[in-house]
Amino acid sequence: MKLVQGRSAYLVAAGCLSLLVLVVFMYQQRKIGISIEATKATERRLKELIKHAEKYRIISDSPVYERYARVYDRVVEYPNGEKFAYDIWGRNWKTNTFSVVIIVPYETRTRTMTLIKEYNPAHDRFVYGFPTGMVSADKHKSPLDAAKQELDEEAELTCNNLIDMLSPSATNGVPQDKYQMERIYMYLCVDEEEDESPSERDSEEVDLHVERGVPVREVKELLLAGTFQSNNMAAAYLALEVLTKMGYSLD
């Protein structure tokens, strides 16, 4: 059996890319009426992803390390019969949810966004992003419920107009990456309101900073400067796409 990291389950990455493309296709279909041909093409690609995945089989999932996250030794049998071992990891393993929510707050009156600035220990630097958190089965009824709580906890905001930016086809969210088990659910908060009695933050979020009223132009510049984590960057560009399709003027 070969131990391969570089050659992971490529269809997971392909699925992530295809689902991001699907977001644009399906949202356009819902809001502005995309052509039937494009919709059929997207449905065909989705079916192909499922069909390809059925050719692969997970032989075993053995935990090899756990603390805040858990690392698994996953053995996968490929269509040609070869078996490959991967280091697969995920957070929040105690409740077995492996789901993350990202919420992009946008104020239509001022045409601005609310950003979170926090320390990134893996890269020893500060980064920008949006309210983000784990979905816990013992705390949340759904990803939407988790999104509301994280928005309140991290940004001290409430939202009566919280929009799921992914299409109905993305029932399992978007894969975080090839080796991580988390699925990401992305939401857009239109016209948030400040919460005078926000929920208490987690202890490691003590140095988390909230920046309100950041113009879209500056957000775009920060994105291009590489100051966002990749999943938050994807949520930002998706939010800009959705807001444009909704008819909002961003500049």
Side-chain angles (χ1 to χ4, degrees):
M1 180 172 63
K2 301 178 182 178
L3 180 62
V4 179
Q5 282 292 352
R7 189 186 165 200
S8 172
Y10 69 91
L11 62 95
V12 175
C16 180
L17 178 60
S18 298
L19 281 172
L20 286 175
V21 172
L22 172 66
V23 166
V24 178
F25 278 147
M26 296 300 289
Y27 195 87
Q28 286 175 332
Q29 180 190 27
R30 186 168 65 232
K31 290 294 179 181
I32 63 175
I34 195 169
S35 66
I36 295 177
E37 290 75 18
T39 301
K40 288 183 176 180
T42 300
E43 291 177 351
R44 175 178 57 80
R45 289 188 173 91
L46 285 172
K47 291 178 181 179
E48 287 177 353
L49 286 177
I50 296 173
K51 184 177 180 180
H52 285 312
E54 291 174 348
K55 299 177 182 178
Y56 295 75
R57 188 164 65 97
I58 297 176
I59 302 299
S60 62
D61 253 343
S62 304
V64 294
Y65 173 82
E66 61 188 40
R67 195 170 63 172
Y68 177 66
R70 174 182 275 182
V71 180
Y72 299 83
D73 175 18
R74 173 170 291 183
V75 179
V76 180
E77 184 178 74
Y78 274 50
N80 63 2
E82 288 191 82
K83 296 181 178 64
F84 298 90
Y86 302 100
D87 289 343
I88 305 296
W89 69 281
R91 297 171 292 171
N92 215 23
W93 53 271
K94 292 182 179 180
T95 60
N96 199 35
T97 50
F98 301 113
S99 297
V100 176
V101 292
I102 300 176
I103 310 95
V104 181
Y106 179 75
E107 171 62 52
T108 59
R109 182 180 59 83
T110 58
R111 301 177 184 177
T112 60
M113 290 183 169
T114 295
L115 302 183
I116 298 295
K117 183 170 61 178
E118 63 180 333
Y119 180 66
N120 182 313
H123 298 276
D124 190 28
R125 55 180 286 197
F126 264 80
V127 295
Y128 280 105
F130 303 105
T132 303
M134 302 294 298
V135 180
S136 299
D138 57 344
K139 294 171 55 179
H140 309 120
K141 298 178 181 178
S142 65
L144 179 62
D145 184 42
K148 293 178 179 178
Q149 183 168 325
E150 290 298 328
L151 183 65
D152 179 62
E153 181 180 305
E154 293 194 356
E156 300 178 352
L157 297 173
T158 61
C159 187
N160 293 321
N161 190 13
L162 201 58
I163 301 170
D164 185 349
M165 293 193 290
L166 297 176
S167 79
S169 298
T171 55
N172 291 321
V174 175
Q176 172 83 338
D177 63 33
K178 294 169 68 174
Y179 303 105
Q180 191 171 346
M181 300 174 73
E182 270 70 34
R183 302 175 293 269
I184 303 176
Y185 297 86
M186 302 179 185
Y187 296 90
L188 171 65
C189 170
V190 179
D191 293 332
E192 69 278 10
E193 296 180 1
E194 291 191 36
D195 188 352
E196 297 180 357
S197 302
S199 302
E200 185 177 350
R201 292 177 179 171
D202 295 333
S203 57
E204 70 271 16
E205 296 174 335
V206 63
D207 205 25
L208 185 149
H209 305 275
V210 180
E211 294 193 10
R212 309 189 195 283
V214 182
V216 170
R217 173 181 54 81
E218 293 183 19
V219 174
K220 292 179 179 179
E221 291 173 354
L222 290 169
L223 288 166
L224 293 175
T227 62
F228 281 70
Q229 295 178 166
S230 58
N231 54 5
N232 276 251
M233 178 179 284
Y237 281 115
L238 181 56
L240 295 175
E241 175 73 14
V242 171
L243 286 166
T244 299
K245 293 298 183 296
M246 293 176 70
Y248 291 112
S249 177
L250 304 180
D251 299 321

